[in-house]
Amino acid sequence: MLILFYIVALIMTLAAIGVVLLRNPLHSALSLILCMIGVAILFAMLQAHFLAVVQLIVYAGAIMVLVLFVLMLLNFKQENLKAVSLPVWMLTFFSGGLLLYFLIPILNKSFAGLAQKGSDLEAAGTLKEGTVEALGELLFTKYVFTFEVASILIMAALVGAVMVGSRSIHRRTEIE
Amino acid sequence: MIGLQHYLILSAVIFTIGALGVLVRRNAIVVFMCIELMLNAVNVSLTALAYYRGHLDGQIAVFFVMVVAAAEAAVGLAIILALFRSTESVETDAATELRR
Amino acid sequence: MEFLILAIKAFVILHVALGLSAICTWIERKGSALMQDRIGANRAGAYEEPDFFLAKILFAIPGVRLLVRWLGYLGLVNTLVCDAVKALFKEDFVPEGTSRFIHALAPFMAVFPVFLAFAVVPIAPNFEIGGYLITTQLATINAGILFVFAMGSLAVYGVAIAGWTGNNKYSLLGGLRAAAQMISYELAMGIAFVTMIAIYGTLDLYQMVEQQKGFGWGIFLNPLAFIIVFVVGMAETKRAPFDLPEAESELAAGYFTEYSGMKFLLFWMGEFAEIGLFSLILTVLFLGGWHLPFVNLPENVWWAALIGHLILMGKVMFLCVLQIVVRWTLPRFRFDQLMTLGWKVLLPLSLLSLLVTTAVITWSN
């Protein structure tokens, strides 16, 4: 399991670097899809079965298809990464390094007590697995209000996307 | 034995890469993809904490983060399309005026 | 030992998938010929003395030559051997101006999710050999049918990227149309799946089959969902009457245009494997899997598993032939008719079916 984690972590990191550094936006999108599949594998390793599949359906299967559609419809040239000057690159790497330098020890130490708890729970058989039944029970009893608000949010986003992206409405407001 | 710190450090690294991507790239869609990368990193860390604490509330939070990310993707890409129509370019440097 | 069983299961299920794909190709060629009142392929066979050393040894065995000749009359040799060899030796053409890597990646992304989705579908009842319980699903994950849905979502990429790397208008248009069609029809399929999940109360495909003993087949419980998933299955595999994206007379073969040789054959194989996959899903969800109404097979015995597997494959073959017959019967939809059907007809129908099903389930408790 540890080897699988390291392989997946390596692929995800390389894919994430690929998203940032590849010049063609389509290659960036494919690299992000690879990273998301890696995230789905990590969810499956963390016994979150439903979330792994929903990650594939929603993120890798719907959101990235939307991004791919927009990329193909707009069909622009590759970005000139050399236009970003060297001091900016150095500043970004320095700030990234600084962020990691502070984040990693904080994350290492502050959750030190929890690091073994999950595997103990799994060994004792009392781990709440992320099965559909367990998540559904929690979703419809404790978080039912958030669930309903999320559905209203999606409807608002649907209406908003059609309003903003539609060409005829754009023309009509232009004439006015 | 995979510990919690493995997942959290991986999440921090990918979050940092995404944040640097938002700062460096000028193509609006690639900036959007780096934002999605950051959201995914946070999802990983939430699920890892849910596993190691023994509750499922972390996974519910991930579920709602995915919902919000989907809504944001739809509206954000519609905005980028409208921007492209009015300025003929998706670079974030090109949208500098309030009226065309 | 567990790993060995898993490896053998993976081998068997992969060969079931490939075999379904190959047999569907053959049925398509000969069946379409019979439906169009012509003979079809019957020329390839063992007529001459071969030059190839291995073939000389093989044909020296009595009866092999006759068998190959009979298979050639049926069109099997032509479809399975000659087409594959021809595709392997064709020139591999990459249009200029696009990335070679993505051009090679697209058939892989179209085919890989289809074969991966075969992992969660049971092909026979469980049986025991030597004390080991062998489950015929390769991966008994909790969210079984959602995994199939996820693989259907991932299959959109191969098509969209194939259309893009053709570097011409026809390919791009065909690819975008195909991707839009696949995404639109996934919604109705998802809601029909949710209906069946509500009826059976489980997401695991093996449990769903186990609940259909006797007369409780899914098609009797919810025929509307069966029709919806059947129509959506034909739309997802881009078969006629939904095959505008790959129509030869309209778009110069659509997103296939710039692919030749083995890559084209990979797309083709993926399409037929997807026909087999949808027939398998339909059988497992709606047609009772390996259960027949008056036949009671004993549990956990290996020969009962074999008979169950043959019953299942019989039903799957029936559905594959039905899909091929529908393909060669109906004319093509226009793209706006296709989108109207997906959004304005199938989606409200599937919502209606979900509403009625959940109402019936709630009131009967």
Side-chain angles (χ1 to χ4, degrees):
Chain A
M1 286 298 265
L2 192 62
I3 305 175
L4 178 67
F5 175 78
Y6 277 125
I7 294 175
V8 171
L10 184 69
I11 292 178
M12 278 174 68
T13 318
L14 289 176
I17 295 179
V19 172
V20 172
L21 289 183
L22 284 172
R23 285 171 301 164
N24 193 350
L26 198 71
H27 294 175
S28 270
L30 289 178
S31 192
L32 186 60
I33 294 171
L34 184 64
C35 190
M36 284 174 179
I37 295 179
V39 170
I41 298 177
L42 282 183
F43 283 169
M45 280 193 335
L46 284 169
Q47 309 295 329
H49 311 283
F50 182 61
L51 273 181
V53 184
V54 166
Q55 161 87 9
L56 283 177
I57 296 176
V58 169
Y59 256 115
I63 295 182
M64 289 314 293
V65 170
L66 198 59
V67 169
L68 228 63
F69 256 84
V70 170
L71 276 173
M72 286 184 201
L73 282 174
L74 294 187
N75 198 23
F76 34 67
K77 317 179 271 302
Q78 299 188 0
E79 185 176 331
N80 189 11
L81 270 184
K82 301 217 185 336
V84 180
S85 54
L86 188 62
V88 177
W89 276 116
M90 284 173 45
L91 191 63
T92 45
F93 281 131
F94 178 67
S95 54
L98 203 64
L99 185 64
L100 280 179
Y101 178 71
F102 283 116
L103 259 183
I104 290 182
I106 294 177
L107 291 175
N108 240 333
K109 297 239 172 49
S110 57
F111 292 106
L114 287 179
Q116 295 302 320
K117 190 174 174 192
S119 18
D120 290 341
L121 282 176
E122 192 172 1
T126 55
L127 179 74
K128 292 226 184 64
E129 295 211 354
T131 58
V132 184
E133 293 94 359
L135 270 182
E137 205 176 310
L138 202 58
L139 198 61
F140 283 107
T141 52
K142 198 166 153 192
Y143 293 100
V144 62
F145 178 67
T146 323
F147 185 72
E148 303 295 333
V149 168
S151 53
I152 296 181
L153 174 75
I154 295 182
M155 194 175 68
L158 184 71
V159 172
V162 170
M163 287 290 300
V164 171
S166 146
R167 197 185 283 262
S168 57
I169 299 181
H170 180 80
R171 283 286 142 86
R172 219 179 295 139
T173 53
E174 225 186 282
I175 293 173
E176 289 170 27
Chain B
M1 177 62 65
I2 311 176
L4 178 64
Q5 55 266 24
H6 290 95
Y7 288 105
L8 287 181
I9 292 174
L10 175 69
S11 161
V13 166
I14 294 186
F15 185 83
T16 316
I17 295 175
L20 294 182
V22 170
L23 293 174
V24 168
R25 297 296 296 248
R26 289 169 303 142
N27 190 342
I29 301 187
V30 178
V31 167
F32 174 74
M33 288 196 282
C34 294
I35 296 177
E36 293 296 323
L37 199 60
M38 288 198 280
L39 283 173
N40 271 305
V42 167
N43 281 351
V44 167
S45 105
L46 275 172
T47 314
L49 279 167
Y51 176 80
Y52 282 96
R53 289 281 296 175
H55 301 311
L56 282 183
D57 296 32
Q59 298 188 11
I60 301 278
V62 171
F63 186 71
F64 287 118
V65 167
M66 280 186 200
V67 164
V68 170
E72 162 223 354
V75 177
L77 289 171
I79 291 178
I80 290 178
L81 266 178
L83 192 72
F84 181 76
R85 265 190 226 123
S86 78
T87 58
E88 290 300 316
S89 145
V90 273
E91 308 226 328
T92 47
D93 297 340
T96 50
E97 300 170 350
L98 276 181
R99 276 186 79 93
R100 190 164 54 107
Chain C
M1 190 61 195
E2 298 289 329
F3 188 69
L4 186 65
I5 294 179
L6 205 63
I8 294 178
K9 267 202 288 190
F11 187 75
V12 168
I13 292 181
L14 184 65
H15 280 264
V16 165
L18 287 171
L20 269 177
S21 168
I23 290 189
C24 281
T25 316
W26 173 61
I27 293 177
E28 164 105 16
R29 276 190 87 157
K30 272 309 242 194
S32 69
L34 291 176
M35 279 186 267
Q36 291 175 339
D37 206 15
R38 55 185 171 93
I39 302 181
N42 68 347
R43 281 284 180 258
Y47 291 106
E48 300 173 342
E49 281 300 322
D51 289 334
F52 191 43
F53 181 61
L54 212 57
K56 266 195 208 157
I57 297 182
L58 208 55
F59 285 165
I61 306 173
V64 170
R65 178 180 280 245
L66 206 58
L67 183 67
V68 177
R69 203 173 290 180
W70 281 348
L71 290 177
Y73 277 142
L74 285 177
L76 265 175
V77 175
N78 214 330
T79 314
L80 297 180
V81 178
C82 305
D83 275 349
V85 172
K86 169 188 81 172
L88 273 172
F89 285 113
K90 271 197 180 168
E91 175 196 0
D92 185 28
F93 171 77
V94 177
E96 64 174 76
T98 62
S99 154
R100 291 186 72 105
F101 176 65
I102 299 188
H103 190 84
L105 187 67
F108 173 74
M109 285 178 84
V111 160
F112 187 63
V114 174
F115 282 115
L116 207 54
F118 274 98
V120 293
V121 184
I123 55 173
N126 290 344
F127 60 100
E128 268 187 19
I129 284 191
Y132 291 105
L133 180 67
I134 299 185
T135 59
T136 42
Q137 280 174 303
L138 195 56
T140 55
I141 55 181
N142 181 267
I145 199 168
L146 282 185
F147 187 72
V148 174
F149 192 55
M151 292 299 124
S153 301
L154 283 183
V156 179
Y157 285 121
V159 170
I161 290 175
W164 193 80
T165 56
N167 210 16
N168 62 26
K169 281 189 278 299
Y170 297 116
S171 272
L172 184 65
L173 207 53
L176 284 179
R177 274 190 190 175
Q181 170 187 323
M182 287 172 86
I183 301 175
S184 317
Y185 279 82
E186 261 171 24
L187 283 169
M189 177 170 78
I191 299 180
F193 277 171
V194 168
T195 309
M196 297 318 288
I197 292 170
I199 291 181
Y200 292 127
T202 170
L203 281 163
D204 191 13
L205 284 166
Y206 189 80
Q207 306 294 326
M208 285 189 187
V209 177
E210 283 300 319
Q211 291 188 17
Q212 295 182 51
K213 272 200 160 109
F215 272 110
W217 284 10
I219 188 173
F220 301 131
L221 295 176
N222 197 346
L224 186 61
F226 174 72
I227 296 174
I228 290 173
V229 178
F230 186 70
V231 171
V232 168
M234 296 204 64
E236 286 279 319
T237 55
K238 294 175 290 300
R239 307 265 305 163
F242 299 106
D243 71 343
L244 200 62
E246 52 180 58
E248 292 98 22
S249 49
E250 323 250 349
L251 276 179
Y255 64 93
F256 284 156
T257 313
E258 302 294 338
Y259 283 95
S260 69
M262 198 59 204
K263 294 179 186 160
F264 178 73
L265 207 68
L266 267 181
F267 272 117
W268 207 237
M269 200 165 66
E271 186 173 316
F272 282 106
E274 207 168 346
I275 292 178
L277 175 72
F278 270 104
S279 304
L280 202 56
I281 298 278
L282 276 168
T283 313
V284 161
L285 278 179
F286 294 100
L287 290 184
W290 50 77
H291 290 132
L292 284 180
F294 296 110
V295 173
N296 275 330
L297 293 170
E299 307 264 324
N300 284 341
V301 186
W302 66 271
W303 52 266
L306 195 62
I307 295 178
H309 177 68
L310 291 174
I311 295 174
L312 185 76
M313 282 300 145
K315 295 181 190 174
V316 168
M317 277 299 124
F318 167 69
L319 280 175
C320 283
V321 170
L322 189 64
Q323 286 188 341
I324 291 175
V325 166
V326 169
R327 188 231 159 116
W328 289 102
T329 311
L330 295 179
R332 203 172 277 150
F333 280 136
R334 232 176 31 230
F335 195 66
D336 58 321
Q337 287 172 338
L338 205 146
M339 282 295 162
T340 308
L341 186 68
W343 289 96
K344 294 189 193 167
V345 174
L346 281 183
L347 190 63
L349 271 182
S350 59
L351 282 171
L352 177 73
S353 117
L354 180 68
L355 204 62
V356 168
T357 308
T358 45
V360 165
I361 291 177
T362 315
W363 282 333
S364 72
N365 276 354

